[in-house]
Amino acid sequence: MMSKMASLRPLLLLLAALTLSPQGLADYVKPSVEKLPIHKPSIEKPPVYKLPVEKPPIHKPPIEKPPIEKPPFHKPYGKPLVLESQYEKPPIEKPPLYKPPIEKPPVEKPPIEKPPVEKPPPVEKPPIEKPPVEKPPVEKPPIEKPPVEKPPVEKPPIEKPPVEKPPPVEKPPVEKPPVEKPPVEKPPAEKPPIEKPPVEKPPVEKPPVEKPPPVEKPPPPPPVEKPPVEKPPIEKPPVEKPPVEKPPVERPPVEKPPVEKPPVERPPVEKPPVEKSPVEKPPIEKPPIEKPPVEKPPIEKPPIEKPPVEKPPPIEKPPVEKPPVEKPPLVEKPPIEKPPVEKPPVHKPPYGKPPVHEAQYVKLQVRKPLVHKPPHGKPLV
């Protein structure tokens, strides 16, 4: 019905235009007709079967690497001395690597035949006679040095002034009166007993725990004995310092008059006990909040009209015939025999922390000296 109504609409519009316009079909323009696209199915080619290419196995000979020799490592100078007992580690024993013996076939070399070498006859040279060389004697005159005369050095005598010591200062003995502190009386503190309700806990069921079997620890390695290192004694030459002369320091005697402070007596202060009454707060009542209901108008949506969709006819595909696949027979590889590897026993340190001696952390008792404090208050004028 919807498709018929859609096709009648343009006819009705044309009739209305003819009846209303005076000229009629004079200015009528034909509407453009849009052609629908023609659906062409894609042509699928069947897959071409290719036989698998068999590659022969490549045999690679085993690679043997020579052992690497490392030069000895020397520690740099200038670091603080560290006891080797702090960093002692058990020696790591590596298992011996199994190397199969290499059999080389004997190489046969043919004997090399060398032709005989002919040497020329020796050449005879006549002896050469050299006349003797005669050098005249050389006469050097004696060198005479004049004597050097040094004048005597005269040093004046050093006179030291007499050292005068100041007379000893006599200080009078200071008498301090004994300080008496009044006894402090504190009222007994009374705390009300706190009552806690009993707490009931449900019983907890724990599943049984399976403990692993005990691990047998290997015995510790034997201690490494090191030979004692002998160092030659260092001999330092004695250093002679000249005597230092300081001039005497003269200080005048200091005389301080004796200070007398009268004793200050204060009566004991008695404070009455403070009683606080409990504060009772009235309960606060809040009125309930009433919200009016919110009314929303209904939303009316117009119906959506969709044009009909024309589906193309189904495409029939021809059946594809695949040739049977022939798999090559499986090649069984010979088993590889490896020599057994012997692992050395691993030494692990004992579990837990090392024992700590209490003597390392015992603090010595420090006794403070007695300090005499003067009585408080200002002196009476």
Side-chain angles (χ1 to χ4, degrees), residues 19 42 55 61 118-119 150 161 177 179 186 190 192 221 246-247 259 265 282 284 302-303 338 349 351 361 366:
T19 53
S42 61
K55 292 180 181 180
E118 291 181 356
K119 289 180 182 180
K150 286 179 181 179
V179 181
K186 289 181 180 178
E190 291 181 358
K246 290 180 180 179
V259 181
E265 291 181 359
I284 299 162
K338 291 182 179 179
Y351 293 99
Y361 301 100
V366 181

Side-chain angles (χ1 to χ4, degrees), residues 68-334:
I68 300 162
E69 291 181 358
K70 291 182 179 179
F73 177 72
H74 298 287
K75 290 181 180 178
Y77 295 100
K79 286 189 177 180
L81 292 171
V82 180
L83 297 173
E84 291 185 359
S85 59
Q86 296 177 13
Y87 302 100
E88 275 187 1
K89 290 181 181 177
I92 299 160
E93 294 179 358
K94 292 184 179 178
L97 296 168
Y98 177 75
K99 291 181 180 179
I102 301 158
E103 292 180 357
K104 290 181 180 179
V107 182
E108 291 181 357
K109 290 180 180 179
I112 299 161
E113 291 181 356
K114 289 180 180 179
V117 181
E118 291 181 356
K119 289 180 182 180
V123 181
E124 290 181 357
K125 290 179 181 179
I128 299 161
E129 289 181 358
K130 288 179 181 179
V133 180
E134 290 181 357
K135 287 180 181 179
V138 180
E139 290 181 357
K140 285 180 181 180
I143 298 161
E144 290 181 357
K145 286 179 181 179
V148 180
E149 289 182 357
K150 286 179 181 179
V153 181
E154 290 180 358
K155 287 179 180 179
I158 298 161
E159 291 180 358
K160 289 179 182 179
V163 181
E164 290 180 359
K165 288 182 180 179
V169 181
E170 291 181 357
K171 289 179 182 179
V174 181
E175 291 180 358
K176 290 177 182 177
V179 181
E180 290 180 357
K181 288 181 180 178
V184 181
E185 291 180 357
K186 289 181 180 178
E190 291 181 358
K191 290 181 180 178
I194 299 161
E195 291 180 358
K196 288 182 179 179
V199 181
E200 291 180 359
K201 289 181 179 179
V204 181
E205 291 181 359
K206 291 182 179 178
V209 181
E210 292 181 358
K211 291 183 179 180
V215 182
E216 292 182 357
K217 294 178 181 178
V224 182
E225 292 181 358
K226 292 183 178 179
V229 181
E230 291 181 358
K231 292 181 179 179
I234 300 162
E235 292 180 357
K236 291 181 179 179
V239 181
E240 291 181 357
K241 290 181 180 179
V244 182
E245 292 178 357
K246 290 180 180 179
V249 181
E250 291 182 359
R251 288 179 183 177
V254 181
E255 291 181 359
K256 286 181 182 179
V259 181
E260 291 180 359
K261 286 181 181 180
V264 180
E265 291 181 359
R266 282 185 178 183
V269 181
E270 291 180 358
K271 289 180 180 179
V274 180
E275 291 181 357
K276 288 181 180 179
S277 59
V279 180
E280 291 181 358
K281 289 181 180 179
I284 299 162
E285 291 181 357
K286 288 182 179 179
I289 299 161
E290 292 180 357
K291 289 181 180 180
V294 181
E295 291 181 358
K296 289 180 179 179
I299 298 162
E300 291 181 357
K301 289 181 179 180
I304 299 161
E305 293 180 357
K306 290 181 180 180
V309 181
E310 292 182 357
K311 290 182 181 179
I315 300 157
E316 292 181 357
K317 292 180 182 179
V320 180
E321 291 181 359
K322 291 181 180 179
V325 180
E326 291 180 359
K327 290 182 180 180
L330 294 168
V331 180
E332 292 183 356
K333 292 181 181 180

Side-chain angles (χ1 to χ4, degrees), residues 14-102:
L14 282 169
L15 286 167
L18 287 166
T19 53
L20 291 170
S21 62
Q23 293 178 0
L25 294 168
D27 298 331
Y28 176 70
V29 180
K30 284 186 178 180
S32 63
V33 180
E34 292 180 357
K35 290 183 179 179
L36 293 169
I38 299 161
H39 178 72
K40 291 181 180 180
S42 61
I43 299 159
E44 292 182 355
K45 292 181 180 179
V48 181
Y49 177 73
K50 290 181 181 179
L51 289 169
V53 181
E54 291 182 357
K55 292 180 181 180
I58 300 160
H59 177 71
K60 290 181 180 179
I63 301 161
E64 291 179 357
K65 292 180 179 179
I68 300 162
E69 291 181 358
K70 291 182 179 179
F73 177 72
H74 298 287
K75 290 181 180 178
Y77 295 100
K79 286 189 177 180
L81 292 171
V82 180
L83 297 173
E84 291 185 359
S85 59
Q86 296 177 13
Y87 302 100
E88 275 187 1
K89 290 181 181 177
I92 299 160
E93 294 179 358
K94 292 184 179 178
L97 296 168
Y98 177 75
K99 291 181 180 179
I102 301 158

